[in-house]
């Protein structure tokens, strides 16, 4: 038996795979559709979306196979991730690399295998979409290989869409936590972009227009810091300037700080 070689960039390939947070996750419709389609298109009992981990191949989606993973050292997909094109074995029992492989000599008695690698845009192959059958084949032509590669492209799209959803969820959670901290502060606090548009503010800052109705820009929606305030020479020389709000409800000083991303406004009595 010839175990699959380890890629030269294995450390980085594994890091890219683990960053996706795909391993050991529940079934998802986008991936299930791919294996169901592959099984029907190629008339095989088994189709898998396989991810090659350090010591195992784990199946994000599978049809026709009962186990969720197998050892990497006996995997055919471990060979497939070394190339850009489909990796095809027409009859494993007659292939010197696989004839004594335990998945060939024992269940599932694999004979035919075809796997198209799933390559991330970053340049790492994380797994395959593969076809398995206990029946050998005489051929698996270029058109069939192109069709299998299209399934691998669909798998990449599903991986990318899932990663974007996770990123958006993480950003949303981070923002919710940030806003909770912001609202817990008693002093008025606001963050503005580099054009002065206020993007975040806490409850104390939102209440300022009620305390100082004479200051028109505080009541604007969307709220924007005045242009003359942003052009204050102190912001260029010291990175900070101050503005005093006065009204029937007393006074409040707003300290405006410039940073690389815009402006931070912090009030003090």
């Amino acid at each position: 038996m010839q175990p699959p070689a380890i890629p030269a960039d294995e450390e980085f390939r594994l890091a890219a795979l683990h960053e996706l947070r795909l391993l050991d996750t529940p079934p998802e419709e986008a991936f299930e559709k791919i294996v169901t389609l592959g099984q029907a298109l190629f008339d095989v009992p088994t189709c898998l979306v396989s991810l090659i981990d350090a010591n195992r191949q784990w199946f994000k989606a599978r049809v026709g196979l009962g186990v969720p993973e197998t050892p990497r050292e006996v995997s055919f997909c471990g060979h497939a991730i070394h190339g850009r094109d489909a990796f095809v074995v027409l009859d494993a029992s007659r292939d010197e690399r696989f004839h004594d492989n335990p998945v060939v000599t024992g269940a599932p008695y694999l004979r035919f295998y075809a796997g198209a690698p799933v390559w991330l845009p970053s340049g790492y192959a994380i797994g395959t979409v593969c076809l398995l059958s206990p029946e050998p084949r005489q051929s698996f032509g270029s058109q069939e290989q192109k069709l299998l590669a299209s399934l691998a492209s669909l798998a990449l799209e599903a991986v990318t869409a899932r990663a974007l959803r996770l990123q958006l969820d993480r950003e949303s959670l981070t923002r919710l936590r940030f806003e909770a901290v912001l609202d817990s502060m008693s002093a008025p606090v606001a963050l503005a972009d580099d054009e002065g548009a206020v993007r975040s503010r806490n409850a104390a800052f939102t209440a300022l227009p009620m305390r100082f109705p004479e200051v028109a820009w505080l009541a604007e929606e969307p709220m924007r810091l005045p242009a003359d305030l942003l052009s204050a020479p102190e912001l260029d020389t010291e990175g900070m300037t101050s503005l005093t709000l006065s009204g029937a409800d007393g006074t409040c000083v707003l300290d405006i700080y410039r940073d690389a991303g815009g402006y931070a406004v912090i009030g003090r009595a």
Side-chain angles (χ1 to χ4, degrees), residues 1-261:
M1 184 186 79
Q2 179 180 322
I6 302 300
D9 59 358
E10 180 70 354
E11 178 183 355
F12 302 102
R13 190 194 69 82
L14 286 174
L17 170 62
H18 293 165
E19 187 177 359
L20 294 170
R21 301 185 183 183
L22 262 174
L23 293 168
D24 301 309
T25 56
E28 297 178 51
E29 184 179 4
F31 297 95
E32 297 297 315
K33 286 181 176 179
I34 292 170
V35 295
T36 300
L37 181 59
Q39 181 190 47
L41 282 174
F42 294 100
D43 190 25
V44 291
T46 303
C47 183
L48 311 168
V49 175
S50 175
L51 301 174
I52 306 301
D53 200 4
N55 298 306
R56 60 174 177 158
Q57 60 172 357
W58 179 80
F59 310 124
K60 175 58 183 171
R62 66 186 193 273
V63 59
L65 189 67
V67 296
E69 62 182 61
T70 57
R72 180 176 178 175
E73 65 180 1
V74 302
S75 72
F76 285 52
C77 295
H79 294 265
I81 64 170
H82 286 273
R84 289 281 179 176
D85 300 325
F87 181 78
V88 179
V89 179
L90 296 176
D91 186 349
S93 68
R94 297 177 178 274
D95 191 306
E96 63 180 12
R97 297 168 295 179
F98 304 109
H99 68 91
D100 56 349
N101 189 301
V103 301
V104 176
T105 59
Y109 299 99
L110 181 61
R111 295 296 181 267
F112 169 70
Y113 171 90
V118 177
W119 284 85
L120 298 178
S122 55
Y124 301 108
I126 58 170
T128 73
V129 174
C130 65
L131 314 170
L132 285 69
S133 175
E135 300 295 330
R137 291 204 176 185
Q138 297 300 313
S139 65
F140 191 74
S142 59
Q143 288 303 113
E144 292 169 301
Q145 292 183 37
K146 288 179 181 178
L147 190 56
L148 182 57
S150 295
L151 291 184
S153 294
L154 290 178
L156 176 59
E157 290 179 8
V159 167
T160 303
R162 185 181 185 280
L164 287 173
R165 288 196 302 272
L166 285 178
Q167 179 65 25
L168 290 173
D169 288 345
R170 286 195 294 269
E171 290 177 357
S172 178
L173 181 58
T174 299
R175 183 171 182 83
L176 287 173
R177 288 173 174 168
F178 168 76
E179 290 177 350
V181 171
L182 206 61
D183 273 337
S184 71
M185 301 174 68
S186 58
V189 178
L191 299 177
D193 62 20
D194 58 1
E195 295 182 351
V198 175
R199 300 302 184 187
S200 299
R201 50 184 160 168
N202 65 358
F205 200 95
T206 301
L208 285 178
M210 293 182 288
R211 293 182 55 199
F212 304 102
E214 301 88 345
V215 185
W217 67 267
L218 285 175
E220 291 179 355
E221 287 295 344
M223 188 185 293
R224 182 180 296 274
L225 301 179
D228 58 344
L229 181 64
L230 301 184
S231 61
E234 295 88 351
L235 280 174
D236 288 331
T237 58
E238 302 172 18
M240 191 271 280
T241 189
S242 297
L243 174 68
T244 300
L245 304 179
S246 299
D249 196 28
T251 62
C252 176
V253 178
L254 298 181
D255 293 327
I256 298 93
Y257 300 86
R258 185 199 296 276
D259 61 26

